[in-house]
Amino acid sequence: GESVGLHLPTLSVQEGDNSIINCAYSNSASDYFIWYKQESGKGPQFIIDIRSNMDKRQGQRVTVLLNKTVKHLSLQIAATQPGDSAVYFCAEKGSWGKLQFGAGTQVVVTP
Amino acid sequence: EAGVAQSPRYKIIEKRQSVAFWCNPISGHATLYWYQQILGQGPKLLIQFQNNGVVDDSQLPKDRFSAERLKGVDSTLKIQPAKLEDSAVYLCASSLAGTSGDNEQFFGPGTRLTVL
């Protein structure tokens, strides 16, 4: 079936560097995507979202890019901090608000 | 604003036993979701309620899982009998309304279930 998946299971990044987390989706009809951050022992937390009529959206230290041609989106975190260590999920939102999550990328920030 | 509350936070049971999880959504949120998150995977939707009605339960293993939201507020998810593969974190989320597709889902801390 249609799925949302991530390329890398673990990303190690040095504090202060920029992080890029990638996500591929297979449903070309998808029109709304969300990035979530999940810290250990907590539920997923909304970071940023993007609609399919946009290529880029910026938040505080985060930017999401959407490439509909290759069905790919990415999350960029600027000046990565220790508090950014977590698992990051992209999710596709379908009808009735149903979320379909990818497997996640573990981001480890090293000093 | 209080977040989504879940209890218990941890539960250990033996296979074939029963277990129940409780969720109290954010006040005023009409839509409530139960997700199953197996270790190393993303959450998977089990069931979605709009007020006290079921919107989507297509991925709920109905032979052993059941959920209810009788008064359109709190919800319980039950597993009876549990299997080893049910070991996971069970997440509850709520949103103002699910039909528009844009309402943010707020997640609770989850209940970590271990089936021995």
Side-chain angles (χ1 to χ4, degrees):
Chain A
E2 303 286 3
S3 64
V4 178
L6 294 175
H7 295 300
L8 296 173
T10 303
L11 175 66
S12 183
V13 61
Q14 199 160 12
E15 183 177 353
D17 288 350
N18 297 334
S19 304
I20 300 176
I21 307 165
N22 297 303
C23 178
Y25 64 95
S26 56
N27 185 358
S28 56
S30 298
D31 63 359
Y32 187 57
F33 304 90
I34 307 171
W35 281 99
Y36 283 90
K37 173 185 180 182
Q38 187 173 25
E39 296 175 278
S40 181
K42 297 183 179 180
Q45 180 183 11
F46 175 95
I47 301 174
I48 191 168
D49 58 359
I50 188 168
R51 287 198 162 278
S52 60
N53 60 354
M54 304 171 68
D55 297 324
K56 178 180 180 179
R57 191 166 188 214
Q58 288 184 293
Q60 187 177 9
R61 284 201 305 117
V62 294
T63 301
V64 56
L65 300 177
L66 177 62
N67 185 331
K68 296 178 287 294
T69 302
V70 296
K71 292 183 285 187
H72 179 272
L73 65 159
S74 66
L75 178 70
Q76 301 178 4
I77 306 173
T80 310
Q81 302 169 359
D84 295 326
S85 292
V87 177
Y88 290 81
F89 295 96
C90 66
E92 171 189 358
K93 205 164 196 180
S95 58
W96 291 94
K98 180 178 179 177
L99 290 175
Q100 185 171 352
F101 287 82
T105 294
Q106 173 80 53
V107 172
V108 177
V109 181
T110 58
Chain B
E1 176 181 84
V4 176
Q6 290 188 247
S7 68
R9 290 298 312 277
Y10 305 92
K11 190 72 177 179
I12 300 174
I13 62 173
E14 295 187 349
K15 59 183 179 183
R16 291 188 290 274
Q17 286 187 322
S18 301
V19 65
F21 312 126
W22 174 82
C23 173
N24 186 4
I26 293 173
S27 178
H29 280 194
T31 308
L32 184 147
Y33 313 79
W34 282 103
Y35 289 86
Q36 180 193 59
Q37 186 175 24
I38 294 172
L39 184 65
Q41 299 182 16
K44 182 185 79 172
L45 180 69
L46 292 175
I47 188 167
Q48 177 181 345
F49 291 94
Q50 182 77 10
N51 297 308
N52 62 351
V54 176
V55 172
D56 184 347
D57 64 356
S58 57
Q59 298 192 87
L60 186 74
K62 299 180 186 63
D63 58 333
R64 298 183 301 106
F65 286 64
S66 64
E68 60 184 15
R69 194 184 184 199
L70 294 176
K71 296 182 179 180
V73 180
D74 293 5
S75 177
T76 55
L77 175 69
K78 297 179 181 178
I79 308 175
Q80 180 180 10
K83 293 185 175 181
L84 295 176
E85 59 261 35
D86 297 334
S87 293
V89 175
Y90 290 85
L91 294 163
C92 180
S94 69
S95 66
L96 280 170
T99 56
S100 72
D102 285 12
N103 286 297
E104 181 180 345
Q105 291 186 27
F106 295 85
F107 285 81
T111 296
R112 181 176 295 278
L113 173 67
T114 301
V115 182
L116 304 176

PDB file of all heavy atoms in Angstrom, chain B residues 30 43 59 75 89:
ATOM      1  N   ALA B  30     -12.914  17.368  20.090  1.00  0.00           N
ATOM      2  CA  ALA B  30     -13.952  16.427  19.686  1.00  0.00           C
ATOM      3  C   ALA B  30     -13.383  15.114  19.163  1.00  0.00           C
ATOM      4  O   ALA B  30     -14.021  14.075  19.240  1.00  0.00           O
ATOM      5  CB  ALA B  30     -14.837  17.061  18.610  1.00  0.00           C
ATOM      6  N   PRO B  43       4.181   5.644  14.902  1.00  0.00           N
ATOM      7  CA  PRO B  43       2.854   5.297  15.409  1.00  0.00           C
ATOM      8  C   PRO B  43       1.928   4.841  14.287  1.00  0.00           C
ATOM      9  O   PRO B  43       1.984   5.355  13.177  1.00  0.00           O
ATOM     10  CB  PRO B  43       2.360   6.608  16.033  1.00  0.00           C
ATOM     11  CG  PRO B  43       3.602   7.419  16.289  1.00  0.00           C
ATOM     12  CD  PRO B  43       4.536   7.046  15.188  1.00  0.00           C
ATOM     13  N   GLN B  59      -7.764  -0.450  11.245  1.00  0.00           N
ATOM     14  CA  GLN B  59      -6.532  -1.144  11.631  1.00  0.00           C
ATOM     15  C   GLN B  59      -6.586  -1.655  13.070  1.00  0.00           C
ATOM     16  O   GLN B  59      -5.544  -2.023  13.618  1.00  0.00           O
ATOM     17  CB  GLN B  59      -5.321  -0.220  11.432  1.00  0.00           C
ATOM     18  CG  GLN B  59      -5.128   0.192   9.969  1.00  0.00           C
ATOM     19  CD  GLN B  59      -3.796   0.845   9.723  1.00  0.00           C
ATOM     20  OE1 GLN B  59      -2.795   0.181   9.472  1.00  0.00           O
ATOM     21  NE2 GLN B  59      -3.758   2.154   9.786  1.00  0.00           N
ATOM     22  N   SER B  75     -11.647   8.108  27.063  1.00  0.00           N
ATOM     23  CA  SER B  75     -11.706   6.886  26.261  1.00  0.00           C
ATOM     24  C   SER B  75     -10.882   5.795  26.925  1.00  0.00           C
ATOM     25  O   SER B  75      -9.921   6.076  27.649  1.00  0.00           O
ATOM     26  CB  SER B  75     -11.158   7.150  24.860  1.00  0.00           C
ATOM     27  OG  SER B  75     -11.137   5.963  24.080  1.00  0.00           O
ATOM     28  N   VAL B  89       4.104   0.930  22.734  1.00  0.00           N
ATOM     29  CA  VAL B  89       3.592   2.119  23.422  1.00  0.00           C
ATOM     30  C   VAL B  89       2.262   2.477  22.780  1.00  0.00           C
ATOM     31  O   VAL B  89       2.150   2.532  21.551  1.00  0.00           O
ATOM     32  CB  VAL B  89       4.573   3.301  23.301  1.00  0.00           C
ATOM     33  CG1 VAL B  89       3.959   4.566  23.910  1.00  0.00           C
ATOM     34  CG2 VAL B  89       5.887   2.977  24.013  1.00  0.00           C
TER      35      VAL B  89
END
